[in-house]
Amino acid sequence: MADRGPALPPPAAGSTGPVVSSVPTSAGATGATGSTGSTGSTGSARSTGATGSISQQDLDTLNGILSSVGGAASSVRSAVAGDSASPQG
Amino acid sequence: MSRLTATAATLSLTFMLFAGQTGAAGAADASGTGDLRTAAAHDCQLIKDLQPVVADLLATVDGDATTPGSSAWLNAQAARAKAAGRTQLATWLSERATLRQEQGTVLKTRQELLGTGLSWCTAHGFGAGA
């Protein structure tokens, strides 16, 4: 069995979506739910390259990270831009 | 302000790539083993692209009173508004400063999450230069 490297946080139990449950979604962070449509993902379809195998679950988690980070970054960027253009004291 | 513009452009480009290649829902679904590696490589590239974007945003949020949009800048504006007798504006700016601090905290956790993803990418051959 190939070394799979460091484990990513698993998707929430009973969910097929990459919900990164350990990350707060407050303070205007949006887009934290990145549905991947990964139906039937069992993790059995894995490549076995020298750098470790990859499962659909890994991809789901990566997509969850991207959605979560992208949503938060977009939210903060919009807020910063809006405040910078707002009436100043 | 130019940093903000550059950040906006980079972020927009990243999102365009993300939406265009993986679908609007952020999906990189793959059924075959070859597709899994291709999708993972794509995701890892996006993670690498997002890192400087998030770092730049955090630099803005955590900037000093001369950095427009930072929490310190908002607090300074609130103080100026209060001194000028514009109490409602001062209150609004102060609340925005608090919100900006909270957003910074959230963004830091997301940055850590990116680090987790990047570690996985590096361990699977999708690190720098991959």
Side-chain angles (χ1 to χ4, degrees):
Chain A
M1 176 117 181
D3 179 15
R4 300 193 61 232
L8 285 164
S15 169
T16 57
V19 178
V20 186
S21 57
S22 62
V23 178
T25 56
S26 61
T30 59
T33 54
S35 172
T36 65
S38 57
T39 54
S41 171
T42 61
S44 59
R46 293 174 177 170
S47 63
T48 54
T51 55
S53 59
I54 299 170
S55 70
Q56 182 63 51
Q57 188 181 43
D58 291 331
L59 285 182
D60 290 348
T61 305
L62 288 177
N63 283 326
I65 290 173
L66 286 169
S67 294
S68 180
V69 176
S74 180
S75 175
V76 174
R77 176 177 63 91
S78 297
V80 167
D83 286 343
S84 299
S86 62
Q88 300 175 14
Chain B
M1 186 60 80
S2 59
R3 177 202 284 173
L4 188 62
T5 304
T7 298
T10 306
L11 197 57
S12 297
L13 179 61
T14 302
F15 286 159
M16 285 171 61
L17 288 169
F18 189 44
Q21 295 184 25
T22 68
D29 196 6
S31 54
T33 54
D35 289 344
L36 285 174
R37 288 202 71 81
T38 301
H42 177 246
D43 282 356
C44 288
Q45 185 58 53
L46 286 174
I47 285 174
K48 284 183 278 187
D49 290 345
L50 268 174
Q51 278 206 315
V53 174
V54 172
D56 199 33
L57 275 172
L58 274 173
T60 298
V61 170
D62 293 335
D64 61 18
T66 64
T67 304
S70 70
S71 180
W73 181 84
L74 286 164
N75 275 323
Q77 296 298 318
R80 285 179 57 183
K82 187 176 181 180
R86 306 173 72 183
T87 54
Q88 285 187 323
L89 177 59
T91 300
W92 183 80
L93 286 165
S94 182
E95 289 173 353
R96 297 297 294 180
T98 301
L99 173 64
R100 189 58 28 80
Q101 278 187 324
E102 292 171 355
Q103 287 177 322
T105 302
V106 171
L107 211 49
K108 284 185 179 71
T109 66
R110 301 300 200 271
Q111 190 179 44
E112 292 169 4
L113 208 52
L114 271 184
T116 302
L118 189 62
S119 295
W120 184 93
C121 291
T122 301
H124 288 78
F126 302 115

